[in-house]
């Protein structure tokens, strides 16, 4: 007897490449390198990918045969909106920040940089990341008030790297990281800093703060005075 042709039922929901938050498309990014770069720059690329989490390709692999046009073509399928491209020449290390698919593109020369492992090594009690990278960071722009077109463009580009925050619906537990974009008005250079932030009670003593940290408050019914 001839068997009946089976029909596969959908048992999962495919991920929509155009995720939406608050009715707006979520910015996504590629962080990659072009050409040969030193080992420290490769570590910097890994740190940058973690900074861009969760809407970035953390395990993106570049091959010699890949061109920038390949990533631009792929970005349309995956809904990628920005590309951060690192490269190294005899004169230094450079970063290109591009809005896909048609620009604009900003070019930066890296004067100095510090890796996450170097920051952890310098701390007495280094922080161990847990759930901080499940949500995008808060973006803080400093000294970006200028009439110069390139300054305004840089501020808008950095701000649009991450989804906008709805202050009415955002949860405090999701605000665990801060990305600071600072412009030095004297030199015109930019500084990019990435922080982990914690919530602490303000205006209370150390003893009271310890009590507030506990999930279950102590039973003080036996005491007449505290």
């Amino acid at each position: 007897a001839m068997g009946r042709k089976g029909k596969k039922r959908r048992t999962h929901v495919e991920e929509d490449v155009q995720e939406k938050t608050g009715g707006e498309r979520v910015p996504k990014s590629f962080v990659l390198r072009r050409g040969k770069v030193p080992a420290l720059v490769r570590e910097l690329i890994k740190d940058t990918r973690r900074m861009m989490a969760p809407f970035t390709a953390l395990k993106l692999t570049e091959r010699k045969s890949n061109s920038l046009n390949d990533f631009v073509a792929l970005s349309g399928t995956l809904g990628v909106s920005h590309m951060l491209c690192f490269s190294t020449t005899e004169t230094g290390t450079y970063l290109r920040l591009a809005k896909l698919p048609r620009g604009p593109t900003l070019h930066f020369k890296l004067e100095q940089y510090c890796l996450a492992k170097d920051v952890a090594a310098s701390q007495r009690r280094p922080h161990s990341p847990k759930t901080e990278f499940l949500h995008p960071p808060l973006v803080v722009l400093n000294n970006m008030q200028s009439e110069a077109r390139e300054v305004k463009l840089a501020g808008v580009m950095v701000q649009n790297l991450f989804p906008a925050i709805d202050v009415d619906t955002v949860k405090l537990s999701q605000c665990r990281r801060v990305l600071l974009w600072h412009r030095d008005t004297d030199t015109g250079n930019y500084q990019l800093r990435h922080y982990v932030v914690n919530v602490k009670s303000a205006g209370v003593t150390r003893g009271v703060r310890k009590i507030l940290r506990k999930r279950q408050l102590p039973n003080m019914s036996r005491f007449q005075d505290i």
Side-chain angles (χ1 to χ4, degrees):
M2 183 179 293
R4 185 178 179 182
K5 186 177 181 181
K7 183 177 182 181
K8 185 180 183 300
R9 295 182 180 274
R10 295 181 62 184
T11 56
H12 67 280
V13 179
E14 296 182 1
E15 181 182 3
D16 187 358
V17 296
Q18 295 194 10
E19 298 179 58
K20 295 180 180 293
T21 298
E24 296 183 1
R25 185 176 176 180
V26 174
K28 297 181 181 179
S29 60
F30 280 153
V31 183
L32 48 92
R33 59 180 170 84
R34 300 309 298 158
K36 293 183 179 181
V37 296
L40 291 178
V41 177
R42 289 198 293 269
E43 289 291 329
L44 178 62
I45 293 174
K46 292 181 181 179
D47 289 347
T48 305
R49 287 176 179 172
R50 295 192 72 190
M51 179 187 72
M52 301 298 296
F55 301 115
T56 192
L58 291 175
K59 298 182 180 180
L60 181 66
T61 302
E62 307 101 324
R63 295 185 176 91
K64 291 183 179 180
S65 59
N66 293 137
S67 65
L68 285 179
N69 289 333
D70 295 334
F71 292 103
V72 173
L74 186 62
S75 66
T77 305
L78 300 179
V80 176
S81 58
H82 294 81
M83 181 168 62
L84 292 83
C85 182
F86 289 85
S87 60
T88 300
T89 65
E90 295 179 355
T91 57
T93 300
Y94 297 86
L95 167 65
R96 282 180 286 177
L97 171 58
K99 177 71 172 68
L100 300 176
R102 291 180 292 274
T105 302
L106 301 179
H107 295 253
F108 300 95
K109 181 179 181 181
L110 304 187
E111 299 290 344
Q112 296 177 339
Y113 61 88
C114 183
L115 302 177
K117 65 179 182 180
D118 297 328
V119 175
S122 66
Q123 294 176 334
R124 186 175 180 182
R125 295 179 180 178
H127 177 76
S128 179
K130 296 177 182 178
T131 61
E132 288 83 357
F133 296 96
L134 296 179
H135 303 282
L138 305 175
V139 179
V140 177
L141 304 180
N142 188 45
N143 281 347
M144 296 299 293
Q145 299 82 8
S146 174
E147 295 300 324
R149 183 182 178 186
E150 63 274 12
V151 176
K152 290 183 177 180
L153 180 59
V156 172
M157 288 277 284
V158 172
Q159 205 165 23
N160 291 337
L161 284 174
F162 303 96
I165 295 176
D166 189 347
V167 295
D168 295 327
T169 59
V170 67
K171 297 180 180 179
L172 191 60
S173 59
Q174 298 176 356
C175 305
R176 299 301 308 277
R177 295 187 293 137
V178 171
L179 186 149
L180 173 63
W181 181 262
H182 168 76
R183 183 174 71 95
D184 190 326
T185 54
D186 296 330
T187 62
N189 293 341
Y190 293 98
Q191 294 183 11
L192 175 63
R193 297 180 180 269
H194 186 215
Y195 300 95
V196 172
V197 293
N198 293 319
V199 179
K200 289 187 177 181
S201 302
V204 296
T205 62
R206 184 178 180 183
V208 175
R209 191 180 296 120
K210 278 188 174 182
I211 295 177
L212 293 176
R213 280 184 197 161
K214 298 181 180 179
R215 294 185 178 181
Q216 186 175 1
L217 294 178
N219 184 5
M220 294 183 288
S221 60
R222 299 169 297 167
F223 302 98
Q224 296 181 354
D225 187 3
I226 59 172

